[in-house]
Amino acid sequence: MFDYMTLRLIWWGILGLLLVGFAVMDGFDLGVAMLHPFVAKTDVERRVSINAIGPVWEGNQVWFILGGGAAFAAWPPLYAASFSGFYLAMLLVLLGFILRPVAIVFRGKRDGLLWRKVWDWLFFVSGFLPSLLFGVAFGNLLLGAPFHFDASLRFIFEGSLLGLLRPFPLLCGVISVVMIAMQGAAWLAGKSQGALAARARRIGALSALALVAMFLAAGLWIAVGVEGYRIESPVDPAGPSNPFGKEVMRGTGDWLLNYARFPLTALAPAAGLIGALVAAVLLAAGVNRGALLASSVATAGVVTTAGFSMFPFLLPSSSHPGQSLTVWDASSSERTLGLMLVAVIVFLPIVLAYTSWVYYVLRGPVTEAAIEKGDDHYY
């Protein structure tokens, strides 16, 4: 069907698509959770906030599972290295994911003010913690992780959780937080009414402008203060998957080389910046659907910017650059990639069709009147 090189490129694109899907779809769930204690002032407003994502958050989280599954099946060394090296960080992310349904369900079990306030803030943590850590993880990908393989291809990670919290990754973490806050605010503005929607639009516009400023700052930092990676030795795109045997050099600004080689990739950062600016304007003007679309474009642009900048690297090694994982030496076999692609072609349209139908059925805002009328409402 396709040759090995093309299959590797296709699966690199599929992995990126799944990450974008997670950032856009589960992004507004995480964003609503982050904004929850700040935009919702009364108990009814907080119930509206929760119900804005209540029917869809579980389905949106499937994008994260699909991304992990794609990494496991198509890029086994990447899966092993990232999930082992960032093990404690992943545990914290999972803690956030676990807190979300627990906070949603337990908040409504009692009417006490203190009881609900505690679960409201745990709901905030469930959105903030994963958003921050995902950004920190991308920042560490751009800097490289301290790992190598021994002669038996056993993975050895030389870092620690605190070692991941360096200045540039922390900036990327803050970028992720404001990006997800923008996405959550755009969603909540369209799913609520009145004062709650107005506060969401105001915070969303500010978050979008903050994203533009920080995204530009990160780009400048990458250009003048971050060493990127480049392969100096010949590469066989259809060769066997083996992280040894290549020469990798590092240099300041090397992550920008792809934009000179492939000018169309510049559309990704442009989408991130322009999408965020348009989202800020539309949120301020009260154009909710347009703002959500622009925010989603910005989110997709930010995520794909990281992917285009790093190509063909998947996980660079800061301690042993020559053992960095790339698209050309970290994939499954040609037969495995081909068989999985058939499954994707069959099942991904089904998932997209079902998801579209669910959102169509659940369209429209969550009103305070509906919340107040249903005293026994689940949330």
Side-chain angles (χ1 to χ4, degrees), residues 192-366:
S192 61
Q193 296 176 331
L196 176 58
R199 287 191 289 268
R201 285 192 291 268
R202 185 165 54 250
I203 291 180
L206 292 174
S207 298
L209 294 176
L211 174 61
V212 171
M214 293 181 184
F215 193 44
L216 288 172
L220 179 62
W221 196 336
I222 287 173
V224 302
V226 172
E227 287 190 330
Y229 295 70
R230 67 184 187 277
I231 301 175
E232 289 292 311
S233 56
V235 174
D236 181 5
S241 290
N242 188 335
F244 296 106
K246 63 180 178 293
E247 183 182 356
V248 176
M249 303 298 292
R250 301 173 63 181
T252 301
D254 280 1
W255 284 141
L256 302 179
L257 294 177
N258 281 338
Y259 298 104
R261 295 171 184 153
F262 313 105
L264 286 178
T265 57
L267 292 175
L273 293 171
I274 296 173
L277 288 172
V278 172
V281 172
L282 294 180
L283 281 167
V287 184
N288 298 327
R289 290 187 179 180
L292 180 60
L293 177 60
S295 175
S296 298
V297 169
T299 301
V302 171
V303 175
T304 52
T305 294
F308 287 149
S309 298
M310 292 178 59
F311 182 84
F313 290 90
L314 297 172
L315 181 59
S317 171
S318 58
S319 59
H320 295 71
Q323 297 184 24
S324 299
L325 300 177
T326 73
V327 172
W328 313 126
D329 60 24
S331 73
S332 295
S333 68
E334 181 177 0
R335 182 176 178 82
T336 300
L337 296 181
L339 288 173
M340 291 194 305
L341 182 58
V342 173
V344 169
I345 293 172
V346 172
F347 290 106
L348 185 58
I350 296 174
V351 172
L352 293 175
Y354 172 76
T355 301
S356 301
W357 177 77
V358 168
Y359 277 88
Y360 175 76
V361 171
L362 298 173
R363 67 192 184 279
V366 179

Side-chain angles (χ1 to χ4, degrees), residues 43 107 109-119:
D43 186 67
R107 184 189 187 278
K109 295 298 183 182
R110 292 176 58 184
D111 291 331
L113 178 62
L114 178 61
W115 172 269
R116 294 196 169 185
K117 183 172 292 188
V118 168
W119 288 112

Side-chain angles (χ1 to χ4, degrees), residues 31-116:
V32 169
M34 257 197 299
L35 300 177
H36 179 73
F38 307 105
V39 298
K41 301 299 184 181
T42 67
D43 186 67
V44 172
E45 287 183 346
R46 291 185 178 124
R47 292 172 71 184
V48 169
S49 170
I50 292 174
N51 279 273
I53 65 169
V56 297
W57 70 263
E58 277 186 295
N60 292 338
Q61 197 163 283
V62 169
W63 289 96
F64 177 72
I65 298 171
L66 289 175
F72 174 78
W75 312 99
L78 173 65
Y79 180 88
S82 57
F83 278 72
S84 298
F86 303 146
Y87 186 75
L88 291 178
M90 290 300 301
L91 279 180
L92 292 175
V93 169
L94 291 175
L95 174 63
F97 286 164
I98 292 169
L99 275 177
R100 177 165 53 186
V102 173
I104 289 174
V105 172
F106 275 75
R107 184 189 187 278
K109 295 298 183 182
R110 292 176 58 184
D111 291 331
L113 178 62
L114 178 61
W115 172 269
R116 294 196 169 185

